[in-house]
Amino acid sequence: MAKKKLISIVGDAFADVYCYLEDETPQVIVGGDARLSQPMTTRAGGSGINTSTHLCSLINNFGISDDTTLQVNFQTVINENDEYGKLLTSHARSHGFTLLNRRVSDYPSCFFGTGEEAMLSSSGGKSSGHCAVIVAKGERSFMTHLGCLEDFRGSHIMIESINDLQHVHVTGYFNIPGFWDGELKSKLAEIKQGNKEITISLVPQHDATETWDGGLLDVLRNVDFLILSEVEAKGITKYNDSEAQSFFQYAATYFNEKCPNTHVIVTLGPNGCVHIYNGVTDKEVKTVKKEPIDPTGAGDAFAAGFVYGFLCHKSQNKDNCVINAHALEMSMLWGCASGCCCVMIDGASLPPEKKILEQMLTDALTINEVVEV
């Protein structure tokens, strides 16, 4: 009988309102106007939703091993009574993962469908988080309302099935103020103490406050993998382009001093990704270069591919998980293939077809001269 294991994604969920600017549209300014190339559409989004969706698709299409089945749950905070919350719940159900709403509210879900929903909204209940996604010239920008997501706390994270838990992936750290300054750190330490075989990864996302702090470095003491973009890495390390050192030399030294036990994966868009550990950049992986249709969610798809690749290829001893070089390389390759597929699709939470991802992985293996074992 196959063993059942659990992956828990913890983080942000938003209803994304997509706005595709016409290519010739100048920069949008306050008080100005802009033309859209297609109607606005609202889709499930946020780093947590996107990662859960892509990870479930990978598991369903490719499996993990003959003796293990994996279940994905996603812990977040939404208002299940509003239209955005209903969209997010429906999306999770249709893509095969469990959405665990960790909302602590004066307005419990038992009101749903009783005719009292109007009273709830009129009395000031917070909405689910939602986001305007502006896509133009191969790039995207966001305008975000956190809504009830700002009430999410590290102490709200469930760890009841810790013996079955294989991996925890934290998304959108800088989007959730309730995770900052020790809140999440305490919970991750509790998870690690409860089961040493569990691995933990974290994606910080862009910090809208531009302070790039929130106690993140303390959190990383209990994180095995930090996955972030080059922009995010420069923000966190406070790197200045006038530094005498190259960015990667600087980042390698910085992360080795601040969180020496954390493997740092920096994504580089069309240039692939690099692995930083033990004070050096010890692995670079190239990706297949494609002309992007929509770059939204590419980092989340990369993270899903990375986690999937790691769980497929990691080794285990009797005490804990062993992070070996082959598992890291395959994780980075799966991440690049998944991220590259994502940019070829409109929307961040729509996984690619199996055959397309298979071909992308094959191409990534070829250009990196890797033989999969």
Side-chain angles (χ1 to χ4, degrees):
M1 180 181 294
K3 296 179 292 185
K4 291 185 178 180
K5 291 292 184 178
L6 178 67
I7 302 173
S8 192
I9 312 291
V10 179
D12 53 347
F14 297 103
D16 285 345
V17 182
Y18 279 83
C19 306
Y20 292 90
L21 291 179
E22 294 180 347
D23 287 341
E24 62 272 16
T25 298
Q27 182 178 359
V28 180
I29 60 174
V30 176
D33 194 4
R35 295 287 184 267
L36 301 181
S37 60
Q38 55 185 279
M40 296 182 191
T41 56
T42 304
R43 301 168 182 158
S47 186
I49 282 277
N50 299 339
T51 305
S52 299
T53 304
H54 287 280
L55 183 56
C56 261
S57 177
L58 286 164
I59 293 169
N60 292 337
N61 283 329
F62 299 99
I64 291 287
S65 67
D66 293 336
D67 64 346
T68 302
T69 61
L70 283 178
Q71 177 185 350
V72 176
N73 73 31
F74 171 46
Q75 301 186 46
T76 190
V77 169
I78 61 172
N79 182 341
E80 65 273 20
N81 299 319
D82 67 19
E83 293 304 313
Y84 294 142
K86 294 173 186 176
L87 171 70
L88 295 168
T89 302
S90 175
H91 177 90
R93 187 164 48 246
S94 65
H95 286 274
F97 60 92
T98 303
L99 192 155
L100 300 176
N101 188 8
R102 304 304 298 145
R103 187 181 182 210
V104 178
S105 172
D106 294 331
Y107 311 129
S109 58
C110 60
F111 283 122
F112 177 62
T114 65
E116 297 189 47
E117 296 166 70
M119 178 274 290
L120 298 182
S121 59
S122 64
S123 62
K126 292 182 179 179
S127 72
S128 298
H130 48 282
C131 181
V133 183
I134 315 299
V135 182
K137 299 179 180 178
E139 292 294 340
R140 78 281 184 275
S141 302
F142 302 95
M143 294 183 289
T144 303
H145 176 66
L146 293 178
C148 58
L149 184 65
E150 66 184 356
D151 298 328
F152 198 5
R153 298 286 182 270
S155 57
H156 298 164
I157 298 170
M158 290 178 61
I159 55 170
E160 293 179 356
S161 302
I162 195 163
N163 290 330
D164 297 323
L165 190 58
Q166 191 163 17
H167 188 85
V168 175
H169 179 69
V170 180
T171 72
Y173 181 83
F174 285 125
N175 280 335
I176 308 176
F179 283 6
W180 303 353
D181 300 324
E183 275 273 353
L184 181 63
K185 172 188 173 184
S186 299
K187 182 58 68 171
L188 296 187
E190 182 183 348
I191 291 171
K192 283 286 192 178
Q193 289 167 6
N195 186 343
K196 292 182 180 179
E197 294 183 4
I198 295 171
T199 46
I200 299 175
S201 52
L202 183 146
V203 171
Q205 295 294 101
H206 192 90
D207 183 7
T209 71
E210 295 292 340
T211 58
W212 301 100
D213 188 4
L216 175 64
L217 295 175
D218 284 337
V219 173
L220 294 180
R221 295 174 185 174
N222 292 297
V223 171
D224 299 288
F225 303 107
L226 174 65
I227 305 170
L228 71 174
S229 70
E230 185 175 2
V231 170
E232 293 158 1
K234 286 182 176 180
I236 291 167
T237 61
K238 308 294 192 294
Y239 179 77
N240 189 312
D241 287 333
S242 63
E243 297 280 352
Q245 287 180 299
S246 73
F247 167 64
F248 290 110
Q249 290 174 324
Y250 180 91
T253 301
Y254 180 92
F255 285 118
N256 191 50
E257 291 176 353
K258 303 294 185 181
C259 48
N261 296 320
T262 303
H263 295 261
V264 179
I265 313 297
V266 182
T267 60
L268 306 172
N271 295 317
C273 61
V274 299
H275 171 240
I276 297 173
Y277 189 67
N278 201 26
V280 296
T281 301
D282 72 346
K283 185 64 183 177
E284 299 181 23
V285 167
K286 294 177 284 189
T287 192
V288 181
K289 295 188 178 182
K290 298 286 186 180
E291 189 67 29
I293 294 173
D294 179 3
T296 314
D300 304 325
F302 177 95
F306 183 91
V307 170
Y308 174 78
F310 178 71
L311 294 177
C312 284
H313 294 278
K314 70 175 184 176
S315 57
Q316 197 86 22
N317 64 25
K318 65 178 182 178
D319 296 318
N320 51 37
C321 171
V322 178
I323 300 173
N324 60 68
H326 175 67
L328 280 167
E329 182 173 49
M330 292 307 303
S331 302
M332 294 164 74
L333 285 161
W334 272 102
C336 284
S338 185
C340 190
C341 285
C342 182
V343 303
M344 305 306 297
I345 301 172
D346 273 336
S349 58
L350 298 173
E353 296 179 16
K354 179 181 179 180
K355 62 182 181 180
I356 294 175
L357 184 50
E358 281 180 322
Q359 184 60 54
M360 199 70 74
L361 179 64
T362 298
D363 292 345
L365 290 165
T366 299
I367 63 175
N368 285 280
E369 299 181 344
V370 174
V371 177
E372 185 176 6
V373 294

